Amino acid sequence: QKEVEQNSGPLSVPEGAIASLNCTYSDRVSQSFFWYRQYSGKSPELIMSIYSNGDKEDGRFTAQLNKASQYVSLLIRDSQPSDSATYLCAVGVYNFNKFYFGSGTKLNVKP
Amino acid sequence: EAQVTQNPRYLITVTGKKLTVTCSQNMNHEYMSWYRQDPGLGLRQIYYSMNVEVTDKGDVPEGYKVSRKEKRNFPLILESPSPNQTSLYFCASTAGSNQPQHFGDGTRLSIL
């Protein structure tokens, strides 16, 4: 079983819509959660970090964490074509000093 | 400017010819990692280092070596590269495993 699972997509949404990206993780001691955006051939760049249950908003982005369900999501409001990229979910396991990444969800925002 | 610098960005080489990919960070981070990224498999951790002279295996360490003699540098060594090590490699650094990572621009490695 993979440590972090994401739907590979592609997820297609029209411009201006809300894109919802989901991620589940298997390690119950995971303590830090991250969403990265990666354009083709480029390095991952951090969008959001979240550490406690609930929602965290930053501009058009909202991260949601539910530790009981081992589930973390990213909502992108008012999606733009420039949001078209692969979104990587990552978890940090502090006790083991390790990070695990999902395989990423490819998002296509259509003009 | 805070950055992680990897070199080279691209490398084509042949099986068995030792190579080193360098990584340097200017953020005084203690934690550094190497990842490889393959289609459909996401980022997989090869090795990581918690501090100078402290390294540990990630999930796919076979065929790789690392060293951490200085805090800012964390080179990845392939002593006898093989075609299955053809991949996109990223170096990353962070203040700790509860903090986000900063990634280098990547090294695209092709082993023929």
Side-chain angles (χ1 to χ4, degrees):
Chain A
Q1 182 184 0
K2 289 185 178 179
E3 299 284 345
V4 180
E5 303 227 27
Q6 296 181 254
N7 189 321
S8 62
L11 173 66
S12 292
V13 300
E15 184 176 355
I18 296 175
S20 177
L21 305 163
N22 303 315
C23 171
T24 58
Y25 60 95
S26 61
D27 195 325
R28 294 182 181 274
V29 298
S30 298
Q31 296 174 308
S32 52
F33 306 86
F34 310 95
W35 282 100
Y36 293 87
R37 177 175 61 199
Q38 186 177 26
Y39 294 111
S40 180
K42 303 295 186 182
S43 60
E45 53 180 335
L46 180 73
I47 299 175
M48 299 277 285
S49 304
I50 187 166
Y51 301 94
S52 55
N53 282 327
D55 295 358
K56 180 181 178 182
E57 187 174 318
D58 183 0
R60 296 185 297 112
F61 300 95
T62 299
Q64 300 174 316
L65 175 61
N66 183 326
K67 290 187 177 181
S69 299
Q70 294 175 242
Y71 175 93
V72 58
S73 65
L74 179 70
L75 299 177
I76 307 174
R77 289 180 299 280
D78 189 24
S79 295
Q80 301 296 309
S82 58
D83 294 326
S84 297
T86 296
Y87 289 80
L88 303 173
C89 172
V91 303
V93 184
Y94 185 65
N95 291 350
F96 302 113
N97 299 308
K98 296 186 79 171
F99 292 94
Y100 297 97
F101 283 80
S103 56
T105 298
K106 186 175 176 63
L107 173 66
N108 291 330
V109 181
K110 298 181 177 180
Chain B
E1 179 188 354
Q3 59 185 9
V4 178
T5 304
Q6 290 178 234
N7 281 296
R9 292 290 315 281
Y10 304 91
L11 179 62
I12 301 174
T13 188
V14 296
T15 299
K17 186 176 181 182
K18 180 179 179 179
L19 66 93
T20 299
V21 185
T22 63
C23 175
S24 180
Q25 51 95 3
N26 64 359
M27 294 165 279
N28 201 37
H29 284 162
E30 293 188 345
Y31 189 110
M32 297 185 74
S33 283
W34 275 103
Y35 294 90
R36 61 178 289 174
Q37 188 173 35
D38 302 291
L41 297 178
L43 283 163
R44 294 180 293 168
Q45 196 173 42
I46 302 170
Y47 269 96
Y48 64 97
S49 169
M50 293 295 296
N51 212 326
V52 175
E53 303 292 1
V54 180
T55 63
D56 207 347
K57 296 177 180 178
D59 295 316
V60 288
E62 295 78 18
Y64 304 94
K65 285 179 59 176
V66 293
S67 67
R68 188 94 180 271
K69 292 183 170 52
E70 303 167 282
K71 196 171 188 178
R72 63 183 292 124
N73 296 324
F74 190 43
L76 179 70
I77 303 158
L78 285 73
E79 294 209 326
S80 184
S82 62
N84 64 11
Q85 293 177 298
T86 292
S87 188
L88 179 59
Y89 291 84
F90 288 103
C91 179
S93 75
T94 177
S97 58
N98 61 342
Q99 298 296 319
Q101 296 179 88
H102 298 254
F103 285 85
D105 287 337
T107 295
R108 190 166 290 281
L109 193 55
S110 294
I111 315 292
L112 304 178

